[in-house]
Amino acid sequence: MSDQQKMKVKVYAPFETYFEGEADSVSAVNLTGPFDVLAHHKNFISLLQTGTVTVRHAGKDDFNLKINRGLIHVKADKVTVFLDV
């Protein structure tokens, strides 16, 4: 997958960054159910529900983090996940 198919992802809370780097996809759960974000996704913002945030990057182990709630913001191949801890 070329760099044009990658996204910059940051998963963090007020006092800790859990993940920061490139990714192929991000998966999470909102009120309508599980969803995935891929490169070139439309601008998007959503509250996250209890579940697992998964960040995938080819050739590396998946990053999985169980969360209670949070917010995801997607814009111009940048995905930011703010967690409420």
Side-chain angles (χ1 to χ4, degrees), residues 10-11 15-16 18-19 25 30 34 40 45-46 52-53 63 65 67-68:
K10 184 173 183 179
V11 179
F15 301 106
E16 185 168 357
Y18 296 97
F19 179 92
S25 70
N30 64 13
H40 311 301
I45 191 167
S46 180
T52 302
V53 173
F63 167 82
L65 181 65
I67 67 164
N68 289 320

Side-chain angles (χ1 to χ4, degrees), residues 39-82:
H40 311 301
H41 196 287
K42 295 285 187 188
N43 293 349
F44 175 74
I45 191 167
S46 180
L47 293 173
L48 298 177
Q49 301 299 305
T50 299
T52 302
V53 173
T54 301
V55 180
R56 292 180 187 84
H57 189 343
K60 296 184 179 179
D61 291 339
D62 290 352
F63 167 82
N64 295 293
L65 181 65
K66 291 187 185 286
I67 67 164
N68 289 320
R69 61 186 178 182
L71 181 124
I72 187 169
H73 179 256
V74 180
K75 186 174 181 182
D77 286 335
K78 290 184 181 178
V79 179
T80 306
V81 179
F82 305 98

Side-chain angles (χ1 to χ4, degrees), residues 2-42:
S2 72
D3 287 342
Q4 293 178 345
Q5 299 297 317
K6 304 270 187 224
M7 304 175 295
K8 292 184 191 292
V9 178
K10 184 173 183 179
V11 179
Y12 69 104
F15 301 106
E16 185 168 357
T17 298
Y18 296 97
F19 179 92
E20 188 168 12
E22 287 192 336
D24 299 314
S25 70
V26 177
S27 301
V29 178
N30 64 13
L31 279 175
T32 61
F35 66 91
D36 298 312
V37 175
L38 303 171
H40 311 301
H41 196 287
K42 295 285 187 188

